[in-house]
Amino acid sequence: MASPVPVKEKKLMEVKLGELPGWILMQDFTPKGIAGAFQRGYYRYYNKYINVKKGGFAGISMVLAAYVLFNYCHSYKELKHERLRKYH
Amino acid sequence: MNENLFASFAAPSMMGLPIVVLIVMFPSILFPTPNRLINNRLISIQQWLIQLTSKQMLAIHNQKGRTWALMLMSLILFIGSTNLLGLLPHSFTPTTQLSMNLGMAIPLWAGTVITGFRYKTKASLAHFLPQGTPLPLIPMLVVIETISLFIQPMALAVRLTANITAGHLLIHLIGGATLALINISATTAFITFIILILLTILEFAVALIQAYVFTLLVSLYLHDNT
């Protein structure tokens, strides 16, 4: 695994599969690092879909769909009793 | 069925952690801050709506009342967006919880009353007695006006809670009825489905109207007291 660029600084798509566990362990898990990750993710989505001159409905509808999915997963436990099955 | 009906109103928590905090903070993501002269489409639309609403809402206030502009606008945005998000399937609406509505209503109402008592003490006290009451009725009327003053925050909170909760409950019930009727009689199921569609349209309107009413009443109490 001798590569010219140190493993820690590579982006996810450039990390080789064998180096993956090492890469995951070397990531920054401090609160500041996690906050930074959320911030980068937010701005990546925001600048791609919303912060454009002619944004459409798709930008916010993806967020709302993810919100619906999150709530569905969270209330799955109560919902599974309402399926149409003979034995619950 | 009975337990299921009210399960959707329980405050969500994941392994003991209250994620209701996350759900209350979620609408804020949908309103990005404008940081340019000409913004993207979403922010421009929101800016236009906010300007329209604020002009309408702050027209009746004097200089002192207009210091509350930020509070009133964020109030109507928060309640409106929270109510509208609650219409999405499976979502949790924080405004169905009486605790939250009381937490919004009581401090705002108290703020208006205390402002009135601090800056215009005589006029605020004079509100307790309408003009032109006959002399023997005065003690009783003061008591009645005091009671009606103290009921204002309760009415604000309970009105919002009851309206939104009732709407959600009706949607659950009529939706369940439609599903149950499909196997029995398709026509009745279809009629019930039409009722469901009308109810959903009503709920969209109610979501916005309740936000407006809440904010309008707070602004009215403010107007009385500044």
Side-chain angles (χ1 to χ4, degrees):
Chain A
M1 273 170 287
S3 36
V5 180
V7 170
K8 184 177 180 188
E9 281 139 29
K10 281 201 245 182
K11 291 192 191 177
L12 181 57
M13 288 296 140
E14 290 156 22
V15 171
K16 308 236 184 317
L17 212 55
E19 296 169 348
L20 196 58
W23 181 87
I24 289 179
L25 288 171
M26 280 198 239
Q27 288 306 301
D28 189 8
F29 288 114
T30 64
K32 184 178 168 192
I34 294 180
F38 273 110
Q39 203 175 34
R40 285 194 303 269
Y42 171 77
Y43 279 112
R44 215 170 117 181
Y45 184 86
Y46 181 70
N47 287 324
K48 179 164 183 192
Y49 289 107
I50 304 189
N51 204 10
V52 288
K53 214 163 39 170
K54 290 180 151 192
F57 181 60
I60 37 166
S61 70
M62 278 195 276
V63 179
L64 295 178
Y67 180 63
V68 170
L69 197 65
F70 172 72
N71 281 311
Y72 179 77
C73 295
H74 186 262
S75 40
Y76 183 70
K77 208 167 176 185
E78 275 95 43
L79 286 169
K80 71 177 180 183
H81 295 299
E82 292 175 23
R83 289 185 291 195
L84 293 171
R85 298 268 191 280
K86 190 173 170 190
Y87 301 109
H88 279 239
Chain B
M1 159 101 162
N2 290 331
E3 205 257 359
N4 287 339
L5 207 47
F6 291 106
S8 62
F9 293 117
S13 68
M14 189 183 285
M15 305 180 292
L17 287 172
I19 58 172
V20 62
V21 180
L22 287 176
I23 295 183
V24 172
M25 294 197 302
F26 177 69
S28 63
I29 295 182
L30 303 170
F31 296 106
T33 41
N35 42 20
R36 295 187 180 179
L37 192 60
I38 312 282
N39 293 296
N40 56 46
R41 220 176 237 182
L42 181 70
I43 294 183
S44 306
I45 293 178
Q46 282 169 357
Q47 263 181 331
W48 170 74
L49 279 170
I50 291 177
Q51 269 183 338
L52 196 67
T53 322
S54 57
K55 278 199 187 137
Q56 167 82 1
M57 188 139 294
L58 297 168
I60 58 172
H61 288 130
N62 56 13
Q63 188 69 12
K64 187 142 187 53
R66 288 196 183 149
T67 52
W68 279 57
L70 186 61
M71 187 72 230
L72 293 174
M73 287 320 297
S74 51
L75 190 65
I76 189 172
L77 269 183
F78 175 66
I79 301 182
S81 63
T82 315
N83 289 345
L84 283 173
L85 278 176
L87 289 170
L88 291 171
H90 304 303
S91 49
F92 171 73
T93 324
T95 41
T96 54
Q97 309 295 312
L98 185 63
S99 50
M100 184 173 119
N101 294 335
L102 276 174
M104 285 196 293
I106 292 184
L108 289 168
W109 165 83
T112 61
V113 167
I114 291 178
T115 315
F117 273 116
R118 271 184 75 186
Y119 294 109
K120 290 166 61 173
T121 321
K122 256 197 301 188
S124 299
L125 285 172
H127 278 310
F128 283 124
L129 197 61
Q131 265 186 332
T133 57
L135 206 55
L137 278 177
I138 289 182
M140 195 182 67
L141 216 58
V142 170
V143 172
I144 290 178
E145 289 289 327
T146 318
I147 295 177
S148 93
L149 181 73
F150 279 98
I151 256 191
Q152 279 173 352
M154 301 295 145
L156 270 176
V158 173
R159 179 186 304 114
L160 186 57
T161 313
N163 268 301
I164 306 295
T165 316
H168 285 264
L169 217 54
L170 269 175
I171 290 182
H172 274 257
L173 282 169
I174 293 188
T178 316
L179 271 179
L181 278 173
I182 282 182
N183 292 327
I184 299 176
S185 147
T187 342
T188 326
F190 184 67
I191 296 175
T192 324
F193 185 65
I194 300 289
I195 297 179
L196 186 64
I197 291 184
L198 292 175
L199 200 60
T200 313
I201 296 175
L202 176 68
E203 281 313 307
F204 272 99
V206 166
L208 295 169
I209 289 170
Q210 284 304 316
Y212 172 66
V213 165
F214 196 100
T215 315
L216 188 68
L217 283 171
V218 170
S219 110
L220 226 57
Y221 300 151
L222 185 66
H223 183 63
D224 278 343
N225 285 315
T226 49

